[in-house]
Amino acid sequence: MKVGIRRERLQGERRVAATPETVTQLTALGLEVLVESGAGSESGHPDGSYTDAGATVVPELGLGELDVFCHVRPLSPDLVGGLRSGTITIGLASPASELPTVAALATAGVTSFALELVPRISRAQSMDALTSQALVSGYRVVLEAAIRFPRFFPLYMTAAGTIPPARVLVLGAGVAGLQAIATAKRLGARVSAYDVRPASADEVTSMGGTFITLDLDAVEGTGGYARELSEDRSVRQRELLAPHVAAADVLITTAAIPGRPAPLLVTQDMVTAMRMGSVVIDLAAETGGNVEGVVAGRDTQVTTRTGDGTVTLVGMKDAPSTMPADASRLFAKNVANLLALMTESGTVSPDFTDEVVAGACLTHGGTIRHEPTATALTGEQH
Ligand code: NAD
C-alpha cells in the first residue's frame, strides 16, 4: 500500500510527518513510501536521505493515488477533496476548531485518525503526539524566556558580588509545564508552579519546583484533564495568583482545556505589577492566551505600573516548529507507531476493537466517530 508524505504548506510549519528513520520502519512493514520533494528540508532531511531509506521522492504528491496520507497540520476541506474514498489519514486534526474539514473527511469517506484523540494510556504513549510536541514546547519556551531576560537564571557568587537566581513561575503543570519547570531548574532558576489539578503537585515537586496551593476548590475533569472554571472562580483564581505573578521575574503560562479556548489566568493589570525587565511567555497564545492582551507570534512591551520600565509579553507561536529536527523526529515516530499498530503484512487495516485505534479515529465509512465532534457539527448545522 502507498503511504504519502507531503511538504507541509502552512506558513511557519517546519516539521514533517516522516523522517528517514520512520521510512525504514514503514518499508520494513511492507509499505511503499512516497515523499514529496523538499518535505524534510526544514527539519534537516534532504530528499536523498529519504531515497537512501527506501522511499520514492516525487516532485508533487498525487493525493488520489495514496492509500495512507500522513501529515502534521490539520488538512483543509479543499485538500480532502483530492483524497479518494477509503484513504486513511494520520496527523493532527484539531477537531474542535476544524469542523469544516471534519465534515469534508466524513463526506469523502476518508478514514481519518486525529493524533489529538490517541487515548492517554500506557500502551499508546509511543503514539502520543500531544505529549511529544508539548515536551518540545515546554523546553523551548524557557529558552525563549532566558534570551529575553536581562539577567542570569542561576545564582552566581562571584568576587564582584552575588547575583540571585531568577524566580520563574509556571502556570499549568501538564506535559509542557513540567518540561518548562525541568528546563528552568537545569538553568539554575528558582521555580514555582501552579495547576488547578492538585494531582500535579507531586509531579511539580519531582521536577524540582515548589507547588503553589491556592485557596480554591480542586477542578479535575476526566482523563487527567482540567475542567473549565466558572467565571467567579476564574476571577478568584486570578486574585489569588496576583501576588505570585508580581513576585516572579519570569512567568510561563501553559494552561489549556481540551477543545476549549485557553483559560485567562493573568490580566494586564497583573502584568503591569511585575518588575521592569520581567518576561512573560504565553504558550497558549494561539488558542486565545492565558495572558490578557497577548498576541501569538509577537513580543509586546507592557509598561510597569510604576512607569519605571517595561515587561516583555511574548505570544508563543508554532513552538514545536522552532525545533523542527527533534520535534519531527518524535512526531514522525508517533505517526509510524500508530500506522504500525494497524499494519499486517503490508496492508493497513484498522481494527476498531482496539481501543487505541477506535479512540484515535475521527471519521470512518462516511460517519464522524468522535462523539463530541459529531455533536458540535450537528449543533453548528442547526
Ligand atoms: P493540557 O495541555 O490540556 O493542559 C495543560 C495544563 O493546564 C493541565 O495540567 C491543566 O490541568 C492546566 N490547567 C487548565 N486550566 C487551568 C487553570 N484554570 N489554572 C491552572 N492550570 C490549568 O494538559 P496535558 O499536558 O495534555 O496533560 C493533561 C493530562 O494528561 C495530565 O494529567 C497529564 O499527566 C496526562 N497525561 C497522561 C499521559 C499518559 O500516557 N498516561 C500522557 C500525557 C499526559
mmCIF file of all heavy atoms in Angstrom, residues 156-206:
data_model
loop_
_atom_site.group_PDB
_atom_site.id
_atom_site.type_symbol
_atom_site.label_atom_id
_atom_site.label_comp_id
_atom_site.label_asym_id
_atom_site.label_seq_id
_atom_site.Cartn_x
_atom_site.Cartn_y
_atom_site.Cartn_z
ATOM 1 N N TYR A 156 24.799 33.297 41.068
ATOM 2 C CA TYR A 156 26.248 33.396 40.895
ATOM 3 C C TYR A 156 26.835 34.084 42.117
ATOM 4 O O TYR A 156 26.355 35.144 42.525
ATOM 5 C CB TYR A 156 26.594 34.207 39.638
ATOM 6 C CG TYR A 156 26.580 33.378 38.379
ATOM 7 C CD1 TYR A 156 25.635 33.599 37.395
ATOM 8 C CD2 TYR A 156 27.524 32.369 38.190
ATOM 9 C CE1 TYR A 156 25.610 32.833 36.246
ATOM 10 C CE2 TYR A 156 27.500 31.591 37.036
ATOM 11 C CZ TYR A 156 26.542 31.823 36.074
ATOM 12 O OH TYR A 156 26.520 31.054 34.947
ATOM 13 N N MET A 157 27.846 33.434 42.696
ATOM 14 C CA MET A 157 28.571 34.077 43.806
ATOM 15 C C MET A 157 29.965 34.352 43.288
ATOM 16 O O MET A 157 30.752 33.427 43.123
ATOM 17 C CB MET A 157 28.580 33.163 45.026
ATOM 18 C CG MET A 157 27.161 32.947 45.547
ATOM 19 S SD MET A 157 27.019 31.703 46.796
ATOM 20 C CE MET A 157 27.288 32.672 48.245
ATOM 21 N N THR A 158 30.214 35.580 42.969
ATOM 22 C CA THR A 158 31.493 35.923 42.341
ATOM 23 C C THR A 158 32.232 36.926 43.236
ATOM 24 O O THR A 158 31.654 37.501 44.165
ATOM 25 C CB THR A 158 31.291 36.577 40.955
ATOM 26 O OG1 THR A 158 30.922 37.953 41.147
ATOM 27 C CG2 THR A 158 30.224 35.890 40.161
ATOM 28 N N ALA A 159 33.509 37.144 42.889
ATOM 29 C CA ALA A 159 34.313 38.101 43.645
ATOM 30 C C ALA A 159 33.724 39.506 43.530
ATOM 31 O O ALA A 159 33.898 40.355 44.405
ATOM 32 C CB ALA A 159 35.748 38.084 43.112
ATOM 33 N N ALA A 160 32.990 39.712 42.430
ATOM 34 C CA ALA A 160 32.413 41.041 42.203
ATOM 35 C C ALA A 160 31.012 41.184 42.811
ATOM 36 O O ALA A 160 30.349 42.191 42.632
ATOM 37 C CB ALA A 160 32.358 41.316 40.701
ATOM 38 N N GLY A 161 30.573 40.134 43.465
ATOM 39 C CA GLY A 161 29.259 40.233 44.100
ATOM 40 C C GLY A 161 28.390 39.021 43.812
ATOM 41 O O GLY A 161 28.745 38.179 42.981
ATOM 42 N N THR A 162 27.287 38.947 44.551
ATOM 43 C CA THR A 162 26.374 37.802 44.409
ATOM 44 C C THR A 162 25.177 38.190 43.544
ATOM 45 O O THR A 162 24.591 39.255 43.737
ATOM 46 C CB THR A 162 25.889 37.349 45.801
ATOM 47 O OG1 THR A 162 27.033 36.921 46.537
ATOM 48 C CG2 THR A 162 24.899 36.204 45.704
ATOM 49 N N ILE A 163 24.863 37.308 42.600
ATOM 50 C CA ILE A 163 23.686 37.535 41.747
ATOM 51 C C ILE A 163 22.635 36.504 42.133
ATOM 52 O O ILE A 163 22.891 35.292 42.051
ATOM 53 C CB ILE A 163 24.066 37.404 40.262
ATOM 54 C CG1 ILE A 163 25.053 38.512 39.902
ATOM 55 C CG2 ILE A 163 22.821 37.461 39.368
ATOM 56 C CD1 ILE A 163 25.623 38.428 38.530
ATOM 57 N N PRO A 164 21.475 36.959 42.575
ATOM 58 C CA PRO A 164 20.449 35.991 42.997
ATOM 59 C C PRO A 164 19.846 35.264 41.804
ATOM 60 O O PRO A 164 19.863 35.791 40.680
ATOM 61 C CB PRO A 164 19.393 36.879 43.684
ATOM 62 C CG PRO A 164 19.565 38.228 43.078
ATOM 63 C CD PRO A 164 21.010 38.357 42.685
ATOM 64 N N PRO A 165 19.323 34.049 42.028
ATOM 65 C CA PRO A 165 18.721 33.323 40.897
ATOM 66 C C PRO A 165 17.414 33.969 40.462
ATOM 67 O O PRO A 165 16.749 34.637 41.252
ATOM 68 C CB PRO A 165 18.465 31.927 41.472
ATOM 69 C CG PRO A 165 18.339 32.130 42.943
ATOM 70 C CD PRO A 165 19.212 33.298 43.292
ATOM 71 N N ALA A 166 17.062 33.757 39.201
ATOM 72 C CA ALA A 166 15.782 34.267 38.693
ATOM 73 C C ALA A 166 14.650 33.449 39.306
ATOM 74 O O ALA A 166 14.800 32.252 39.545
ATOM 75 C CB ALA A 166 15.748 34.139 37.175
ATOM 76 N N ARG A 167 13.541 34.113 39.549
ATOM 77 C CA ARG A 167 12.357 33.408 40.046
ATOM 78 C C ARG A 167 11.416 33.159 38.876
ATOM 79 O O ARG A 167 10.896 34.110 38.272
ATOM 80 C CB ARG A 167 11.651 34.245 41.115
ATOM 81 C CG ARG A 167 12.306 34.099 42.481
ATOM 82 C CD ARG A 167 11.916 35.220 43.377
ATOM 83 N NE ARG A 167 12.417 36.479 42.806
ATOM 84 C CZ ARG A 167 12.416 37.638 43.451
ATOM 85 N NH1 ARG A 167 11.924 37.715 44.662
ATOM 86 N NH2 ARG A 167 12.907 38.730 42.882
ATOM 87 N N VAL A 168 11.249 31.893 38.561
ATOM 88 C CA VAL A 168 10.392 31.503 37.430
ATOM 89 C C VAL A 168 9.093 30.919 37.975
ATOM 90 O O VAL A 168 9.118 30.052 38.858
ATOM 91 C CB VAL A 168 11.103 30.461 36.534
ATOM 92 C CG1 VAL A 168 10.167 29.940 35.445
ATOM 93 C CG2 VAL A 168 12.361 31.064 35.915
ATOM 94 N N LEU A 169 7.985 31.413 37.472
ATOM 95 C CA LEU A 169 6.675 30.880 37.857
ATOM 96 C C LEU A 169 6.040 30.237 36.621
ATOM 97 O O LEU A 169 5.952 30.867 35.560
ATOM 98 C CB LEU A 169 5.776 32.020 38.376
ATOM 99 C CG LEU A 169 4.310 31.671 38.624
ATOM 100 C CD1 LEU A 169 4.162 30.599 39.710
ATOM 101 C CD2 LEU A 169 3.521 32.929 39.037
ATOM 102 N N VAL A 170 5.609 28.980 36.775
ATOM 103 C CA VAL A 170 4.964 28.265 35.670
ATOM 104 C C VAL A 170 3.501 28.032 36.043
ATOM 105 O O VAL A 170 3.217 27.444 37.089
ATOM 106 C CB VAL A 170 5.673 26.914 35.401
ATOM 107 C CG1 VAL A 170 4.961 26.138 34.297
ATOM 108 C CG2 VAL A 170 7.143 27.141 35.031
ATOM 109 N N LEU A 171 2.590 28.494 35.213
ATOM 110 C CA LEU A 171 1.160 28.266 35.449
ATOM 111 C C LEU A 171 0.658 27.225 34.452
ATOM 112 O O LEU A 171 0.769 27.420 33.246
ATOM 113 C CB LEU A 171 0.374 29.572 35.307
ATOM 114 C CG LEU A 171 0.777 30.704 36.256
ATOM 115 C CD1 LEU A 171 -0.094 31.936 36.022
ATOM 116 C CD2 LEU A 171 0.679 30.255 37.716
ATOM 117 N N GLY A 172 0.126 26.131 34.983
ATOM 118 C CA GLY A 172 -0.278 25.000 34.140
ATOM 119 C C GLY A 172 0.866 23.997 34.164
ATOM 120 O O GLY A 172 1.928 24.254 33.599
ATOM 121 N N ALA A 173 0.652 22.887 34.875
ATOM 122 C CA ALA A 173 1.737 21.903 35.021
ATOM 123 C C ALA A 173 1.362 20.589 34.359
ATOM 124 O O ALA A 173 1.411 19.521 34.963
ATOM 125 C CB ALA A 173 2.071 21.714 36.504
ATOM 126 N N GLY A 174 0.966 20.669 33.082
ATOM 127 C CA GLY A 174 0.775 19.460 32.271
ATOM 128 C C GLY A 174 2.127 19.064 31.699
ATOM 129 O O GLY A 174 3.173 19.369 32.291
ATOM 130 N N VAL A 175 2.130 18.432 30.546
ATOM 131 C CA VAL A 175 3.392 17.952 29.972
ATOM 132 C C VAL A 175 4.339 19.127 29.681
ATOM 133 O O VAL A 175 5.512 19.100 30.063
ATOM 134 C CB VAL A 175 3.128 17.147 28.678
ATOM 135 C CG1 VAL A 175 4.438 16.641 28.095
ATOM 136 C CG2 VAL A 175 2.181 15.992 28.949
ATOM 137 N N ALA A 176 3.824 20.168 29.018
ATOM 138 C CA ALA A 176 4.675 21.313 28.659
ATOM 139 C C ALA A 176 5.150 22.047 29.914
ATOM 140 O O ALA A 176 6.327 22.413 30.018
ATOM 141 C CB ALA A 176 3.915 22.271 27.743
ATOM 142 N N GLY A 177 4.252 22.247 30.854
ATOM 143 C CA GLY A 177 4.603 22.961 32.084
ATOM 144 C C GLY A 177 5.683 22.225 32.868
ATOM 145 O O GLY A 177 6.633 22.843 33.365
ATOM 146 N N LEU A 178 5.551 20.908 32.954
ATOM 147 C CA LEU A 178 6.556 20.126 33.698
ATOM 148 C C LEU A 178 7.909 20.199 33.002
ATOM 149 O O LEU A 178 8.962 20.285 33.652
ATOM 150 C CB LEU A 178 6.100 18.670 33.846
ATOM 151 C CG LEU A 178 4.885 18.457 34.768
ATOM 152 C CD1 LEU A 178 4.405 17.005 34.714
ATOM 153 C CD2 LEU A 178 5.214 18.834 36.215
ATOM 154 N N GLN A 179 7.892 20.173 31.678
ATOM 155 C CA GLN A 179 9.155 20.297 30.928
ATOM 156 C C GLN A 179 9.761 21.686 31.149
ATOM 157 O O GLN A 179 10.978 21.827 31.259
ATOM 158 C CB GLN A 179 8.867 20.131 29.441
ATOM 159 C CG GLN A 179 9.495 18.961 28.736
ATOM 160 C CD GLN A 179 10.540 18.197 29.480
ATOM 161 O OE1 GLN A 179 11.688 18.635 29.529
ATOM 162 N NE2 GLN A 179 10.192 17.074 30.053
ATOM 163 N N ALA A 180 8.902 22.697 31.205
ATOM 164 C CA ALA A 180 9.390 24.060 31.451
ATOM 165 C C ALA A 180 10.029 24.143 32.836
ATOM 166 O O ALA A 180 11.098 24.754 33.000
ATOM 167 C CB ALA A 180 8.235 25.061 31.324
ATOM 168 N N ILE A 181 9.398 23.510 33.813
ATOM 169 C CA ILE A 181 9.961 23.511 35.172
ATOM 170 C C ILE A 181 11.348 22.856 35.154
ATOM 171 O O ILE A 181 12.327 23.405 35.679
ATOM 172 C CB ILE A 181 9.028 22.749 36.153
ATOM 173 C CG1 ILE A 181 7.692 23.474 36.297
ATOM 174 C CG2 ILE A 181 9.702 22.567 37.522
ATOM 175 C CD1 ILE A 181 6.599 22.654 36.977
ATOM 176 N N ALA A 182 11.409 21.677 34.517
ATOM 177 C CA ALA A 182 12.680 20.936 34.487
ATOM 178 C C ALA A 182 13.770 21.757 33.788
ATOM 179 O O ALA A 182 14.922 21.800 34.243
ATOM 180 C CB ALA A 182 12.479 19.600 33.770
ATOM 181 N N THR A 183 13.410 22.418 32.705
ATOM 182 C CA THR A 183 14.404 23.176 31.931
ATOM 183 C C THR A 183 14.860 24.411 32.714
ATOM 184 O O THR A 183 16.062 24.715 32.768
ATOM 185 C CB THR A 183 13.815 23.582 30.562
ATOM 186 O OG1 THR A 183 13.301 22.415 29.934
ATOM 187 C CG2 THR A 183 14.854 24.216 29.667
ATOM 188 N N ALA A 184 13.918 25.109 33.341
ATOM 189 C CA ALA A 184 14.283 26.287 34.135
ATOM 190 C C ALA A 184 15.157 25.887 35.321
ATOM 191 O O ALA A 184 16.080 26.605 35.702
ATOM 192 C CB ALA A 184 13.018 27.009 34.606
ATOM 193 N N LYS A 185 14.852 24.719 35.905
ATOM 194 C CA LYS A 185 15.689 24.227 37.019
ATOM 195 C C LYS A 185 17.106 23.943 36.519
ATOM 196 O O LYS A 185 18.083 24.266 37.175
ATOM 197 C CB LYS A 185 15.099 22.926 37.592
ATOM 198 C CG LYS A 185 13.974 23.103 38.565
ATOM 199 C CD LYS A 185 14.309 23.910 39.789
ATOM 200 C CE LYS A 185 15.159 23.196 40.826
ATOM 201 N NZ LYS A 185 15.372 24.050 42.018
ATOM 202 N N ARG A 186 17.203 23.299 35.351
ATOM 203 C CA ARG A 186 18.534 22.995 34.809
ATOM 204 C C ARG A 186 19.332 24.262 34.579
ATOM 205 O O ARG A 186 20.552 24.270 34.681
ATOM 206 C CB ARG A 186 18.403 22.232 33.480
ATOM 207 C CG ARG A 186 18.100 20.782 33.650
ATOM 208 C CD ARG A 186 18.145 20.090 32.289
ATOM 209 N NE ARG A 186 17.197 18.999 32.284
ATOM 210 C CZ ARG A 186 16.153 18.906 31.464
ATOM 211 N NH1 ARG A 186 15.940 19.831 30.555
ATOM 212 N NH2 ARG A 186 15.350 17.890 31.541
ATOM 213 N N LEU A 187 18.635 25.352 34.258
ATOM 214 C CA LEU A 187 19.338 26.624 34.048
ATOM 215 C C LEU A 187 19.634 27.324 35.381
ATOM 216 O O LEU A 187 20.224 28.398 35.386
ATOM 217 C CB LEU A 187 18.505 27.540 33.152
ATOM 218 C CG LEU A 187 18.517 27.216 31.661
ATOM 219 C CD1 LEU A 187 17.595 28.159 30.901
ATOM 220 C CD2 LEU A 187 19.933 27.325 31.089
ATOM 221 N N GLY A 188 19.161 26.742 36.467
ATOM 222 C CA GLY A 188 19.521 27.267 37.786
ATOM 223 C C GLY A 188 18.522 28.224 38.406
ATOM 224 O O GLY A 188 18.813 28.846 39.432
ATOM 225 N N ALA A 189 17.334 28.348 37.782
ATOM 226 C CA ALA A 189 16.342 29.281 38.346
ATOM 227 C C ALA A 189 15.680 28.684 39.589
ATOM 228 O O ALA A 189 15.733 27.470 39.806
ATOM 229 C CB ALA A 189 15.281 29.599 37.292
ATOM 230 N N ARG A 190 15.048 29.541 40.353
ATOM 231 C CA ARG A 190 14.218 29.078 41.469
ATOM 232 C C ARG A 190 12.796 28.997 40.907
ATOM 233 O O ARG A 190 12.250 30.025 40.476
ATOM 234 C CB ARG A 190 14.297 30.079 42.627
ATOM 235 C CG ARG A 190 13.642 29.580 43.891
ATOM 236 C CD ARG A 190 13.683 30.636 44.970
ATOM 237 N NE ARG A 190 15.051 31.029 45.310
ATOM 238 C CZ ARG A 190 15.353 32.160 45.923
ATOM 239 N NH1 ARG A 190 14.406 33.028 46.227
ATOM 240 N NH2 ARG A 190 16.602 32.461 46.218
ATOM 241 N N VAL A 191 12.234 27.796 40.886
ATOM 242 C CA VAL A 191 10.987 27.596 40.142
ATOM 243 C C VAL A 191 9.814 27.249 41.048
ATOM 244 O O VAL A 191 9.929 26.388 41.928
ATOM 245 C CB VAL A 191 11.155 26.457 39.100
ATOM 246 C CG1 VAL A 191 9.912 26.351 38.221
ATOM 247 C CG2 VAL A 191 12.390 26.677 38.249
ATOM 248 N N SER A 192 8.701 27.920 40.835
ATOM 249 C CA SER A 192 7.455 27.517 41.485
ATOM 250 C C SER A 192 6.403 27.340 40.405
ATOM 251 O O SER A 192 6.546 27.853 39.282
ATOM 252 C CB SER A 192 7.021 28.549 42.526
ATOM 253 O OG SER A 192 6.949 29.812 41.929
ATOM 254 N N ALA A 193 5.376 26.579 40.727
ATOM 255 C CA ALA A 193 4.367 26.276 39.708
ATOM 256 C C ALA A 193 3.013 26.060 40.349
ATOM 257 O O ALA A 193 2.914 25.701 41.522
ATOM 258 C CB ALA A 193 4.783 25.026 38.931
ATOM 259 N N TYR A 194 1.992 26.283 39.525
ATOM 260 C CA TYR A 194 0.617 26.085 39.981
ATOM 261 C C TYR A 194 -0.180 25.405 38.875
ATOM 262 O O TYR A 194 0.021 25.664 37.689
ATOM 263 C CB TYR A 194 -0.032 27.441 40.306
ATOM 264 C CG TYR A 194 -1.529 27.365 40.389
ATOM 265 C CD1 TYR A 194 -2.150 26.787 41.502
ATOM 266 C CD2 TYR A 194 -2.328 27.819 39.351
ATOM 267 C CE1 TYR A 194 -3.534 26.680 41.564
ATOM 268 C CE2 TYR A 194 -3.713 27.718 39.406
ATOM 269 C CZ TYR A 194 -4.302 27.146 40.516
ATOM 270 O OH TYR A 194 -5.665 27.028 40.575
ATOM 271 N N ASP A 195 -1.068 24.527 39.300
ATOM 272 C CA ASP A 195 -2.022 23.935 38.364
ATOM 273 C C ASP A 195 -3.317 23.741 39.134
ATOM 274 O O ASP A 195 -3.313 23.533 40.348
ATOM 275 C CB ASP A 195 -1.514 22.579 37.844
ATOM 276 C CG ASP A 195 -2.291 22.102 36.621
ATOM 277 O OD1 ASP A 195 -3.488 21.766 36.757
ATOM 278 O OD2 ASP A 195 -1.708 22.071 35.525
ATOM 279 N N VAL A 196 -4.415 23.816 38.416
ATOM 280 C CA VAL A 196 -5.717 23.676 39.046
ATOM 281 C C VAL A 196 -5.969 22.217 39.467
ATOM 282 O O VAL A 196 -6.818 21.953 40.305
ATOM 283 C CB VAL A 196 -6.807 24.223 38.086
ATOM 284 C CG1 VAL A 196 -7.086 23.260 36.959
ATOM 285 C CG2 VAL A 196 -8.059 24.618 38.820
ATOM 286 N N ARG A 197 -5.204 21.281 38.898
ATOM 287 C CA ARG A 197 -5.329 19.866 39.296
ATOM 288 C C ARG A 197 -4.354 19.590 40.438
ATOM 289 O O ARG A 197 -3.134 19.645 40.243
ATOM 290 C CB ARG A 197 -4.972 18.935 38.129
ATOM 291 C CG ARG A 197 -5.939 18.933 36.977
ATOM 292 C CD ARG A 197 -5.474 17.994 35.877
ATOM 293 N NE ARG A 197 -4.174 18.354 35.341
ATOM 294 C CZ ARG A 197 -3.060 17.676 35.535
ATOM 295 N NH1 ARG A 197 -3.065 16.564 36.222
ATOM 296 N NH2 ARG A 197 -1.917 18.094 35.027
ATOM 297 N N PRO A 198 -4.870 19.268 41.624
ATOM 298 C CA PRO A 198 -3.960 19.009 42.746
ATOM 299 C C PRO A 198 -3.042 17.822 42.482
ATOM 300 O O PRO A 198 -1.938 17.749 43.019
ATOM 301 C CB PRO A 198 -4.897 18.703 43.923
ATOM 302 C CG PRO A 198 -6.283 18.921 43.452
ATOM 303 C CD PRO A 198 -6.291 19.142 41.988
ATOM 304 N N ALA A 199 -3.484 16.893 41.592
ATOM 305 C CA ALA A 199 -2.677 15.707 41.291
ATOM 306 C C ALA A 199 -1.320 16.089 40.709
ATOM 307 O O ALA A 199 -0.372 15.296 40.758
ATOM 308 C CB ALA A 199 -3.428 14.811 40.310
ATOM 309 N N SER A 200 -1.208 17.295 40.168
ATOM 310 C CA SER A 200 0.053 17.692 39.536
ATOM 311 C C SER A 200 1.103 18.129 40.571
ATOM 312 O O SER A 200 2.266 18.310 40.231
ATOM 313 C CB SER A 200 -0.184 18.813 38.529
ATOM 314 O OG SER A 200 -0.655 19.957 39.200
ATOM 315 N N ALA A 201 0.688 18.281 41.850
ATOM 316 C CA ALA A 201 1.621 18.777 42.875
ATOM 317 C C ALA A 201 2.856 17.883 43.008
ATOM 318 O O ALA A 201 3.994 18.384 43.046
ATOM 319 C CB ALA A 201 0.899 18.903 44.222
ATOM 320 N N ASP A 202 2.636 16.566 43.046
ATOM 321 C CA ASP A 202 3.767 15.639 43.200
ATOM 322 C C ASP A 202 4.702 15.720 41.998
ATOM 323 O O ASP A 202 5.926 15.632 42.135
ATOM 324 C CB ASP A 202 3.266 14.198 43.336
ATOM 325 C CG ASP A 202 2.688 13.957 44.723
ATOM 326 O OD1 ASP A 202 2.889 14.831 45.601
ATOM 327 O OD2 ASP A 202 2.025 12.919 44.909
ATOM 328 N N GLU A 203 4.095 15.874 40.801
ATOM 329 C CA GLU A 203 4.917 15.939 39.582
ATOM 330 C C GLU A 203 5.773 17.209 39.579
ATOM 331 O O GLU A 203 6.939 17.184 39.201
ATOM 332 C CB GLU A 203 4.019 15.888 38.341
ATOM 333 C CG GLU A 203 3.353 14.533 38.167
ATOM 334 C CD GLU A 203 2.192 14.553 37.182
ATOM 335 O OE1 GLU A 203 1.543 15.597 37.016
ATOM 336 O OE2 GLU A 203 1.938 13.504 36.595
ATOM 337 N N VAL A 204 5.171 18.310 40.033
ATOM 338 C CA VAL A 204 5.914 19.580 40.108
ATOM 339 C C VAL A 204 7.100 19.415 41.056
ATOM 340 O O VAL A 204 8.242 19.787 40.731
ATOM 341 C CB VAL A 204 4.987 20.722 40.591
ATOM 342 C CG1 VAL A 204 5.794 21.957 40.970
ATOM 343 C CG2 VAL A 204 3.955 21.058 39.518
ATOM 344 N N THR A 205 6.830 18.813 42.208
ATOM 345 C CA THR A 205 7.891 18.625 43.202
ATOM 346 C C THR A 205 8.989 17.719 42.649
ATOM 347 O O THR A 205 10.184 17.985 42.835
ATOM 348 C CB THR A 205 7.300 18.011 44.491
ATOM 349 O OG1 THR A 205 6.134 18.760 44.823
ATOM 350 C CG2 THR A 205 8.270 18.057 45.640
ATOM 351 N N SER A 206 8.584 16.663 41.930
ATOM 352 C CA SER A 206 9.601 15.731 41.427
ATOM 353 C C SER A 206 10.475 16.380 40.355
ATOM 354 O O SER A 206 11.589 15.930 40.096
ATOM 355 C CB SER A 206 8.952 14.445 40.911
ATOM 356 O OG SER A 206 8.302 14.714 39.704
#
